[in-house]
């Protein structure tokens, strides 16, 4: 077994050792102690280790150390980085940059991230200004390469992190094309929890005489992680157990299978006095960063996340991980669970299981090499209460803000103002005229969203038809029966007309006299007494 060594003993340059010591890091974890002697000498390395074992620092140190020396690429040039790190998700890319930045600052090196889901302008500007280190997701990086904003000709060292997850997401073809664009004689480091799904072929093709370092058995659980399986007899009891487990004072992450369910659960918890944020694929990058920052700062103690986010969350002191929805396969279970018991800390993992999920969960845990006896619980069971510990105080949810523009107008004729029969957004109980075009605006009819310029164009047409358009555009309206007739651009196509709305016929054919014609109910037009509504 590898004994703990200091970073200085492993050959890490003094400026980087100082940065690590300032952050309280003096002794290397096993994956770091095993790989650093080889990576610092420029060897290609294939590192295999469990989640949360310290792989990010294991490749960040040799990457920055290599760039601190004399580079074949020379001085920093626009659009030509000298180091590249590929990661499967934007969250993981951001976390990697956070680790690299203080190390890079010691040598005045610049780093930036490149990923999709945001506008590329900021990324292009950073590339044009010149960067040394790019941490990227494969999709957006390929886009910028095709547009000519970035070239990988000068890359000295390339790192693939979470290569197995890139394979799961279907990124390997893009990764292959990107690696082909880097110099063949550059140093390459590949870190992955497993070597299946084509990772072995990728390593054989692009790594030169690599040294394999496997600190722990692939997909092995973390020793300081305690696993629990709580069986519940119904969805209602499950909901109560989840809420109880989320009510503690420490950080906890709840995992769901779908983005919609993650968002909904976060809202439900917040509404019940437990502030929570979600982390899932439908969020914009700004929203993701904002929610993650709230969780990291302790402003909220509960995060509800999907599987994709499991690879990018590196927040210290997460005391509890809850599989609200059991994952589909064992690798997802281990990566989710790896958000706790990180960097030597202890943590608990709870999987909540309904009766119909028992068999699948048992098989999945067997593959993950987790041995745990299920117990049947309710929200008041001692096992649940013990994991919750001290309950956090109730936090009253903030009332939702209703924008002025979203207030629904009242129904009925009494809420209609004289001279204000116009435009879209009117509801049942009112008819309005759109230049005699026969548009009915009841309910949420999308035709009611026609803009005023279209209406003006149609009014011009009506004036050319013998001046029969109404002259008072904003003007007066009269009731006739249950309808409202307006002078707003209506024109005569014959006799009076009745209008249907929502399957009901208005009580009368409201008409009015004007200088040049007879107005009819808006939303209909008559031709020989017939209605031709659209």
């Amino acid at each position: 077994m590898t004994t703990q060594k200091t970073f200085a003993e492993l050959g890490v340059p003094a400026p980087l050792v100082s940065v690590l010591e300032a952050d309280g890091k003096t002794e290397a974890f096993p994956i770091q102690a095993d790989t650093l002697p080889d990576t610092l000498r420029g060897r290609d390395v294939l590192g295999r280790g469990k989640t949360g074992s310290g792989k990010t620092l294991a490749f960040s140190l040799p990457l920055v150390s290599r760039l601190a020396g004399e580079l074949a690429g020379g001085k920093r040039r626009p659009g030509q980085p000298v180091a590249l790190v590929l990661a499967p998700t934007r969250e993981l890319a951001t976390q990697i940059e956070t680790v690299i930045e203080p190390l890079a600052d010691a040598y005045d090196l610049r780093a930036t991230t490149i990923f999709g889901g945001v506008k590329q302008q900021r990324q292009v500007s950073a590339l044009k200004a010149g960067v040394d280190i790019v941490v990227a997701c494969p999709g957006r990086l390929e886009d910028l390469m095709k547009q000519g904003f970035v070239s990988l000709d000068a890359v000295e060292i390339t790192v693939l992190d979470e290569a197995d997850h890139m394979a799961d997401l279907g990124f390997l073809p893009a990764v292959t094309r990107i690696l082909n664009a880097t110099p063949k004689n550059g140093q390459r480091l590949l870190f992955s929890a497993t070597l299946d799904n084509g990772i072995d072929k990728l390593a054989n093709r692009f790594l030169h005489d690599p040294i394999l370092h496997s600190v722990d058995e692939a997909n092995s659980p973390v020793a300081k992680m305690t696993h629990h399986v709580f069986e519940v007899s119904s969805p209602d009891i499950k909901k109560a157990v989840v809420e109880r487990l989320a009510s503690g004072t420490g950080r906890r992450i709840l995992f769901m299978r779908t983005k919609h369910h993650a968002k909904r659960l976060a809202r439900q918890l917040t509404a019940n006095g437990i502030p929570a944020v979600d982390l899932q694929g439908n969020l914009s990058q700004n929203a993701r960063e904002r929610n993650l920052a709230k969780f990291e700062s302790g402003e909220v103690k509960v995060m509800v996340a999907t599987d994709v986010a499991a690879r990018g969350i590196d927040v210290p002191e997460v005391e509890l991980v809850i599989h609200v929805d059991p994952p589909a396969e064992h690798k997802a279970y281990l990566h989710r669970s790896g958000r706790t018991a990180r960097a030597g800390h202890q943590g608990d993992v709870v999987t909540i299981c309904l009766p119909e999920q028992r068999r699948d969960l048992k098989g999945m845990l067997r593959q993950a090499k987790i041995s745990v006896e299920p117990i049947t619980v309710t929200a008041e069971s001692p096992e649940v209460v013990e994991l919750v510990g001290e309950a956090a105080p109730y936090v009253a949810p903030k009332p939702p803000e209703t924008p002025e523009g979203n207030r629904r107008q009242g129904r009925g004729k009494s809420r209609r103002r004289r001279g204000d029969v116009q435009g879209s957004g009117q509801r049942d109980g009112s008819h309005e005229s759109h230049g005699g075009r026969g548009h009915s605006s009841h309910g949420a009819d999308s035709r009611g969203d026609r803009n005023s310029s279209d209406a003006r164009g149609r009014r011009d047409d009506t004036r050319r038809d013998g001046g029969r358009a109404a002259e008072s555009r904003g003007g007066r309206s009269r009731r006739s029966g249950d309808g409202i007739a307006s002078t707003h651009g209506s024109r005569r196509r014959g006799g009076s007309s009745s209008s249907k709305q929502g399957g009901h016929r208005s009580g009368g054919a409201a008409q009015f006299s004007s200088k040049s014609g007879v107005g009819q109910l808006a939303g209909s037009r008559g031709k020989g007494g017939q209605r031709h509504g659209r």
Side-chain angles (χ1 to χ4, degrees), residues 407-409 422-428 432 441 443 445 448-449:
R407 293 180 180 174
R408 292 187 58 183
Q409 296 183 358
Q422 62 176 1
S424 61
Q426 304 295 331
R427 299 295 177 183
D428 297 303
E432 61 188 74
S441 61
D445 193 339
D449 292 333

Side-chain angles (χ1 to χ4, degrees), residues 228-231 257 323 325-328 330 333 350-368 370 372 374:
H228 312 264
V229 174
F230 289 165
E231 289 191 355
R257 281 195 182 182
H323 301 284
D325 293 333
H330 68 288
Y333 178 88
V350 172
T351 304
I352 301 177
C353 174
L354 289 165
E356 60 268 23
Q357 298 171 321
R358 186 182 300 127
R359 181 176 179 181
D360 290 339
L361 179 60
K362 183 178 180 180
M364 186 266 292
L365 291 175
R366 183 172 59 250
Q367 286 184 295
I370 302 293
V372 56

Side-chain angles (χ1 to χ4, degrees), residues 14-163:
L16 300 183
V17 171
S18 298
V19 174
L20 295 172
E21 289 177 346
D23 196 31
K25 300 182 177 75
T26 56
E27 294 183 336
F29 291 155
I31 188 69
Q32 299 160 1
D34 277 17
T35 59
L36 282 173
D38 292 318
T39 55
L40 289 170
R41 289 189 294 114
R43 294 291 303 271
D44 286 6
V45 165
L46 176 57
R48 187 171 66 179
K50 61 194 175 187
T51 183
S53 59
K55 296 191 295 290
T56 302
L57 194 58
F59 65 71
S60 297
L61 287 169
L63 182 146
V64 174
S65 177
R66 182 182 177 98
L67 301 189
E70 193 172 328
L71 300 177
K75 295 182 179 180
R76 182 185 299 140
R77 288 175 288 178
Q80 288 192 306
V82 289
L84 172 65
V85 181
L86 293 178
T89 67
R90 65 180 85 175
E91 288 82 12
L92 183 56
T94 302
Q95 294 282 356
I96 292 171
E97 185 194 28
T98 302
V99 174
I100 288 178
E101 272 190 330
L103 303 173
D105 288 343
Y107 293 101
D108 192 29
L109 298 172
R110 295 180 187 172
T112 193
T113 52
I114 291 176
F115 44 70
V118 296
K119 293 182 179 180
Q120 69 177 40
Q121 182 177 357
R122 182 198 64 82
Q123 300 166 0
V124 171
S125 297
L127 290 169
K128 288 181 177 179
V131 293
D132 303 292
I133 305 166
V134 165
V135 185
C137 295
R140 173 57 64 85
L141 179 61
E142 264 206 307
D143 289 344
L144 296 183
M145 289 169 63
K146 292 175 182 178
Q147 296 175 57
F149 291 120
V150 60
S151 170
L152 305 182
D153 294 342
V155 170
E156 287 284 309
I157 178 170
T158 305
V159 179
L160 270 68
D161 191 23
E162 300 282 13

Side-chain angles (χ1 to χ4, degrees), residues 418-422 433 435 459 462-463 467-478 485-491 512-517 519:
R418 291 176 62 91
D420 194 23
V421 184
Q422 62 176 1
S433 173
R459 287 195 296 271
T462 64
R463 292 189 179 98
R468 288 172 296 185
E471 294 179 354
S472 54
R473 294 174 53 189
R476 303 177 181 178
S477 60
R478 299 181 183 176
S486 170
T487 64
H488 182 64
S490 57
R491 64 180 177 178
F512 64 93
S513 297
S514 67
K515 292 182 180 180
S516 58

Side-chain angles (χ1 to χ4, degrees), residues 95 222 224-226 245 249-255 292 294-298 300-305 309-310 312-323 335-350 387:
Q95 294 282 356
V222 179
K224 293 188 177 183
M225 188 183 296
T226 305
L245 289 171
T249 57
R251 288 194 183 102
R252 49 209 64 209
I253 301 178
L254 285 61
F255 280 102
L292 189 56
K294 287 182 180 179
F295 186 62
E296 289 177 332
S297 67
V300 298
K301 296 297 180 68
V302 178
M303 172 171 283
V304 187
I313 303 175
D314 188 12
V315 179
E317 300 179 6
V318 173
E319 66 179 31
L320 181 62
V321 166
I322 306 169
H323 301 284
H335 282 290
R336 284 178 171 191
S337 303
R339 301 313 102 193
T340 188
R342 299 179 72 82
H345 294 285
Q346 294 183 344
D348 288 275
V349 177
V350 172
L387 280 178

Side-chain angles (χ1 to χ4, degrees), residues 177-483:
R177 292 189 293 269
I178 290 171
L179 290 178
N180 275 328
T182 62
K184 293 182 179 180
N185 59 349
Q187 184 181 5
R188 287 163 180 167
L189 311 178
L190 191 153
F191 286 82
S192 180
T194 63
L195 296 181
D196 54 4
N197 290 342
I199 302 301
D200 53 345
K201 296 179 181 179
L202 198 66
N204 292 335
R205 178 173 177 180
F206 291 105
L207 272 63
H208 311 293
D209 191 22
I211 299 176
L212 173 63
H213 289 283
S214 184
V215 173
D216 294 284
E217 190 175 351
N219 290 329
S220 62
V222 179
K224 293 188 177 183
M225 188 183 296
T226 305
H227 298 263
H228 312 264
V229 174
F230 289 165
E231 289 191 355
V232 291
S233 58
S234 71
D236 288 338
I237 294 178
K238 175 180 177 178
K239 181 179 179 181
V241 170
V242 169
E243 185 173 327
R244 187 64 180 267
L245 289 171
S247 65
T249 57
R251 288 194 183 102
R252 49 209 64 209
I253 301 178
L254 285 61
F255 280 102
M256 310 291 289
R257 281 195 182 182
T258 70
K259 295 175 283 189
H260 171 71
H261 288 160
K263 179 180 179 180
R264 185 172 64 181
L265 179 57
R267 287 183 173 179
Q268 289 174 347
L269 291 173
T270 301
N272 291 334
I274 304 173
V277 294
D278 57 323
L279 194 68
Q280 38 86 10
N282 281 345
L283 293 176
S284 67
Q285 184 60 26
N286 286 339
R288 290 187 187 206
E289 293 176 357
R290 183 169 57 250
N291 288 355
L292 189 56
K294 287 182 180 179
F295 186 62
E296 289 177 332
S297 67
E299 182 179 346
V300 298
K301 296 297 180 68
V302 178
M303 172 171 283
V304 187
T306 54
D307 284 341
V308 172
R311 301 283 180 145
I313 303 175
D314 188 12
V315 179
E317 300 179 6
V318 173
E319 66 179 31
L320 181 62
V321 166
I322 306 169
H323 301 284
V324 179
D325 293 333
E329 43 91 31
H330 68 288
K331 287 194 295 182
Y333 178 88
L334 291 170
H335 282 290
R336 284 178 171 191
S337 303
R339 301 313 102 193
T340 188
R342 299 179 72 82
H345 294 285
Q346 294 183 344
D348 288 275
V349 177
V350 172
T351 304
I352 301 177
C353 174
L354 289 165
E356 60 268 23
Q357 298 171 321
R358 186 182 300 127
R359 181 176 179 181
D360 290 339
L361 179 60
K362 183 178 180 180
M364 186 266 292
L365 291 175
R366 183 172 59 250
Q367 286 184 295
K369 300 182 179 179
I370 302 293
S371 179
V372 56
E373 286 295 325
I375 58 173
T376 302
V377 301
T378 66
E380 305 302 326
S381 296
E383 295 84 358
V384 175
V385 175
E386 182 181 357
L387 280 178
V388 173
E390 180 185 356
Y394 174 87
V395 178
K398 296 180 181 179
E401 296 181 2
T402 304
E404 288 289 328
N406 289 342
R407 293 180 180 174
R408 292 187 58 183
Q409 296 183 358
R411 302 187 180 207
K413 294 168 288 189
S414 62
R415 295 184 182 244
R416 296 291 300 275
R417 293 182 300 173
R418 291 176 62 91
D420 194 23
V421 184
Q422 62 176 1
S424 61
Q426 304 295 331
R427 299 295 177 183
D428 297 303
S430 64
H431 299 279
E432 61 188 74
S433 173
H434 290 265
R437 285 293 187 180
H439 292 287
S440 176
S441 61
H442 62 85
D445 193 339
S446 61
R447 296 183 184 91
D449 292 333
R450 302 298 181 107
N451 59 42
S452 59
S453 63
D454 292 337
R456 284 195 297 270
R458 290 192 293 269
R459 287 195 296 271
D460 291 341
D461 292 339
T462 64
R463 292 189 179 98
R464 285 193 293 267
D465 289 339
R468 288 172 296 185
E471 294 179 354
S472 54
R473 294 174 53 189
R476 303 177 181 178
S477 60
R478 299 181 183 176
R479 298 182 190 276
S480 178
D482 291 332

